[in-house]
Amino acid sequence: MSETPGPAAGRRLGRTLALLALAQLIYSLDLNIVFVALPEIGADLGFPGQTQQLVVSAYVVFAGGFLLLGGRAADLLGRRRIFVLALAVYAVSSLAGGLATSPEVIIVARAVQGIGGALLLPSTLSLINTLFAEGARRNRALAVWGGAGASGLTIGALLGGVLTENFGWPAVFYVNVPLAGLAALAALVMIPRDPARGARRRFDLPGSLTVTGGATLLVFALVEGPELGWTSPLVTGAFALAAALLALFTVIEIRSADPLMPFRLFRNRSLSVGTTVTFVYMATFGVLPYFLTVLMQIVHGYSALKTGLAFLVPSLAIATGTQLGERLATRIGDRATLLIGFAIGAVGTAGLAFGFDTNAGYGLLVPGLVVSGVGQGIVWTAMWIAAATGTAPHEQGVANGIASTALNLGNAIGLAVFTALAELGTGGRTGQALREATAHGEFLVVLLTAAGMAAALLVTLVLPRRRPVPGGTKSEPARISV
């Protein structure tokens, strides 16, 4: 794709990009779409309140655990094949979730959805990074894809509220069935066939089993720690077994002739820093929708519909930010763009914190939601550009799997840590006292996420400076050392 495509090819790429953006929207929606439906799911299926979070965590655990495997599968088995398979898994598991009549069925359905997500995210990213040449065209494609993905984090809450209020909680699952099913069929027509495989390569089954098991157990322990207690035998056992499996994975990969995750990829500073940034992004920006949902529903008593509508403002702000991120990255480079995005995000999120008060109305949240959302969108686009830069096309799948795994670990660790901090002063309180303690705890947590965004500025400084090549599509490292 190094040459400028003709009109027909350009239109085909445009349709393909729209399809890939839809796939990313489906993935992002499912991270948050069930939040506002949890009370109704619990009441209908007989979930005790403290176990309802399993509907969310089952998805997060399996999505995080299988991402690296999904990325390598895209490289070895074909990006289009894995993309279509992932969407089919989504459609079937979503149907099962909507039809669920017991807690066990809906949890298993969400776990299978998570596996579908682990296959979908890296295959979608690797398709973008191989169909669009590195530079301005890829930046533009990532902005469109990123706009769908970043906005989906908040649109999920909006759509979840609308669907739950008007059609009941099963609708948050059923909505995926036609979306994913039609996208899978469209992919067979719109995405180019996978090229014939060259030299036969090992799949690295020992590495796949150990990293998938280790990552899944690690995310499980992080997600369930706040619910079960950090000293619970199940949580401590999961941490210990995860550490052992990940250590074994490292040994296997060092000795493997064809490793699942070649450690030499981390010599690419853009990938290493981009992966770190995705972790920080999801541990800070990515946890805000959860705390906003708690503020609106628990503290202020918003209905599911009202909560969903309240997320419209940040959704539009994030979508705007993703487009700004593309323009900035193309003109001034991903390093400077990330610095700008995190700076804007930190300022906006610090302002957002002052809306976390029992006496504060929605209007006090709006300025922070807008400014923080713009910063979030800028960072989202630029961090994927950074993570994709400098990696060979045949290894884009595993590189994106690495960055996506960091994204999910950031979400799990961020939620675990910040939820525990937010709940420190709520023990034994009820009624208005509980609402005030919840708002105060979340006020402090949101300030801490702003501090995390400010700290990310230091991480971003490690990225190599890049400048656009005049008249070209790629960027080149600046001659001045970092």
Side-chain angles (χ1 to χ4, degrees):
M1 302 301 301
S2 58
E3 298 180 1
T4 302
R11 285 192 295 271
R12 181 183 178 89
L13 276 176
R15 291 192 294 268
T16 301
L17 178 58
L19 175 61
L20 297 175
L22 172 62
Q24 178 60 11
L25 180 65
I26 293 170
Y27 174 83
S28 296
L29 282 174
D30 276 334
L31 290 173
N32 288 339
I33 196 170
V34 301
F35 275 146
V36 296
L38 284 179
E40 286 80 0
I41 293 173
D44 193 29
L45 299 185
F47 266 103
Q50 67 270 23
T51 62
Q52 290 174 14
Q53 187 62 22
L54 286 172
V55 179
V56 176
S57 60
Y59 182 91
V60 174
V61 166
F62 282 86
F66 281 75
L67 273 166
L68 192 56
L69 179 61
R72 191 45 128 186
D75 284 337
L76 297 184
L77 303 180
R79 297 176 181 91
R80 189 178 81 155
R81 291 186 188 95
I82 298 301
F83 181 80
V84 172
L85 173 63
L87 289 167
V89 168
Y90 251 116
V92 173
S93 59
S94 296
L95 180 61
L99 294 173
T101 56
S102 69
E104 294 79 11
V105 172
I106 201 168
I107 289 171
V108 171
R110 285 289 284 172
V112 176
Q113 269 190 332
I115 295 173
L119 297 173
L120 185 63
L121 181 56
S123 63
T124 304
L125 264 172
S126 60
L127 280 167
I128 287 177
N129 292 332
T130 52
L131 290 173
F132 296 87
E134 185 178 311
R137 285 197 292 277
R138 183 186 293 176
N139 293 356
R140 199 169 301 118
L142 285 169
V144 173
W145 171 87
S151 297
L153 294 174
T154 47
I155 291 174
L158 168 63
L159 187 60
V162 172
L163 291 174
T164 301
E165 188 85 2
N166 291 283
F167 304 103
W169 68 262
V172 303
F173 291 92
Y174 290 147
V175 68
N176 276 328
V177 179
L179 286 176
L182 290 173
L185 293 174
L188 296 175
V189 176
M190 297 167 58
I191 296 178
R193 288 179 178 273
D194 294 313
R197 284 183 247 177
R200 187 173 181 82
R201 301 176 61 185
R202 281 182 65 241
F203 193 76
D204 187 14
L205 182 60
S208 301
L209 293 175
T210 52
V211 74
T212 301
T216 302
L217 287 167
L218 176 59
V219 178
F220 170 81
L222 291 167
V223 168
E224 294 303 316
E227 297 291 330
L228 302 177
W230 295 105
T231 58
S232 161
L234 187 59
V235 172
T236 56
F239 271 128
L241 188 53
L245 286 172
L246 292 174
L248 180 58
F249 168 71
T250 302
V251 173
I252 291 170
E253 298 306 282
I254 290 173
R255 296 181 177 181
S256 175
D258 193 5
L260 176 73
M261 187 179 76
F263 290 121
R264 59 179 167 71
L265 291 178
F266 290 104
R267 297 174 193 161
N268 175 4
R269 209 187 328 167
S270 287
L271 174 61
S272 297
V273 177
T275 296
T276 305
V277 168
T278 62
F279 176 92
V280 176
Y281 172 94
M282 207 62 182
T284 55
F285 285 115
V287 302
L288 292 178
Y290 173 78
F291 291 109
L292 283 165
T293 302
V294 172
L295 175 74
M296 293 172 189
Q297 289 196 307
I298 305 302
V299 176
H300 294 312
Y302 286 16
S303 66
L305 177 59
K306 190 175 180 180
T307 301
L309 291 173
F311 277 97
L312 184 59
V313 169
S315 298
L316 294 173
I318 293 168
T320 300
T322 58
Q323 304 311 305
L324 286 174
E326 178 264 319
R327 288 166 174 78
L328 288 169
T330 300
R331 292 174 185 173
I332 63 176
D334 47 10
R335 180 178 185 268
T337 302
L338 284 170
L339 290 171
I340 291 171
F342 274 122
I344 292 173
V347 171
T349 304
L352 177 64
F354 292 96
F356 281 74
D357 187 276
T358 53
N359 298 317
Y362 181 73
L364 195 57
L365 289 171
V366 169
L369 289 173
V370 172
V371 178
S372 177
V374 170
Q376 180 175 346
I378 291 172
V379 172
W380 177 271
T381 299
M383 73 186 189
W384 293 115
I385 293 171
T389 300
T391 299
H394 71 280
E395 292 180 319
Q396 280 290 339
V398 71
N400 292 315
I402 292 168
S404 302
T405 299
L407 188 82
N408 277 263
L409 286 175
N411 182 246
I413 292 174
L415 269 179
V417 172
F418 289 131
T419 300
L421 291 174
E423 294 177 352
L424 284 178
T426 61
R429 298 176 185 263
T430 58
Q432 181 63 19
L434 176 59
R435 288 191 289 273
E436 290 177 355
T438 299
H440 178 68
E442 292 197 341
F443 166 78
L444 295 176
V445 160
V446 174
L447 283 180
L448 288 174
T449 63
M453 295 169 199
L457 295 170
L458 300 176
V459 176
T460 303
L461 288 173
V462 182
L463 267 176
R465 287 191 179 96
R466 296 181 184 274
R467 63 186 177 209
V469 179
T473 59
K474 295 186 178 182
S475 296
E476 64 178 7
R479 297 182 186 277
I480 301 172
S481 60
V482 178

